[in-house]
Amino acid sequence: NFMRNLRTPLIVANNVLQGDLKGAGVAGARFVINTVGGIGGLFDLAGDQGLVYEPEDFGQTLAVWGVGPGPYLVLPILGPSNVRDTAGIVVDGYADPLNRYADNVDKEEWIWIRRGVEGLVVKNDIYDAQKDMKANSGDYYTALRSAAKQKRAADIADQSSAEAGNNPLPDYIVEQ
């Protein structure tokens, strides 16, 4: 929750750049509620009040503006991406208020510590799914590429995976 709260100013900015003022308002309200009442974002009080967390990044903003994804890439440490989203990572990293502050007070190590913690959180979140995919797919690279592209398309459309049509296969047992 704390790490997500730190990224909220970028989420608000990207929502505004995408023309999603409702999303910007929700993200802004989440930031205020979680920063003030949630002790700097340690607790997700806004989520308890029904304000859903929806991450937005500059790669999504570029997609909304009509920029195509470009070739699929697998970036060292960062994992699957594409040219558009890689450019978005660079812009978000530069525009991040905490990164700007850390640069200005000569505390660049804060940036790397934060990135490391965020990486561990993401790796923890996807570990089981990645392990299952590796064990159950005939071609792990192709399965990972397909899953990454579908996830990103759902992110750009502000949909959950299920809303994007990535439901589990239906049960085709015919009742007699």
Side-chain angles (χ1 to χ4, degrees):
N1 290 331
F2 179 73
M3 299 305 286
R4 290 192 323 190
N5 200 54
L6 289 175
R7 294 199 75 74
T8 303
L10 283 176
I11 294 170
V12 171
N14 280 302
N15 273 315
V16 170
L17 290 171
Q18 292 172 29
D20 183 4
L21 299 181
K22 179 182 177 192
V26 169
R30 284 184 54 82
F31 183 70
V32 170
I33 292 168
N34 288 339
T35 300
V36 175
I39 310 172
L42 290 176
F43 304 102
D44 187 11
L45 297 180
D48 295 341
Q49 295 178 15
L51 297 173
V52 180
Y53 173 75
E54 288 191 35
E56 298 289 334
D57 58 60
F58 197 69
Q60 289 172 278
T61 300
L62 290 172
V64 169
W65 291 350
V67 176
Y72 174 77
L73 306 170
V74 178
L75 303 172
I77 301 172
L78 299 176
S81 189
N82 57 48
V83 173
R84 177 194 61 219
D85 293 334
T86 301
I89 290 169
V90 171
V91 171
D92 281 339
Y94 184 77
D96 189 303
L98 184 63
N99 291 355
R100 296 288 44 97
Y101 176 75
D103 280 341
N104 288 331
V105 297
D106 294 327
K107 298 288 184 184
E108 288 83 12
E109 64 272 11
W110 291 1
I111 298 168
W112 296 110
I113 291 169
R114 178 180 173 200
R115 291 266 185 221
V117 170
E118 286 174 344
L120 289 173
V121 168
V122 169
K123 183 65 174 173
N124 181 58
D125 289 347
I126 66 168
Y127 179 75
D128 290 334
Q130 189 178 19
K131 189 170 83 173
D132 288 345
M133 185 183 293
K134 192 176 273 189
N136 296 317
S137 64
D139 183 354
Y140 175 66
Y141 173 83
T142 303
L144 183 63
R145 181 182 63 202
S146 176
K149 286 182 176 183
Q150 290 175 34
K151 168 78 169 81
R152 195 59 181 157
D155 289 345
I156 291 166
D158 286 334
Q159 298 175 323
S160 70
S161 186
E163 290 172 330
N166 301 326
N167 295 324
L169 292 174
D171 187 1
Y172 286 106
I173 297 174
V174 178
E175 293 183 33
Q176 295 180 358

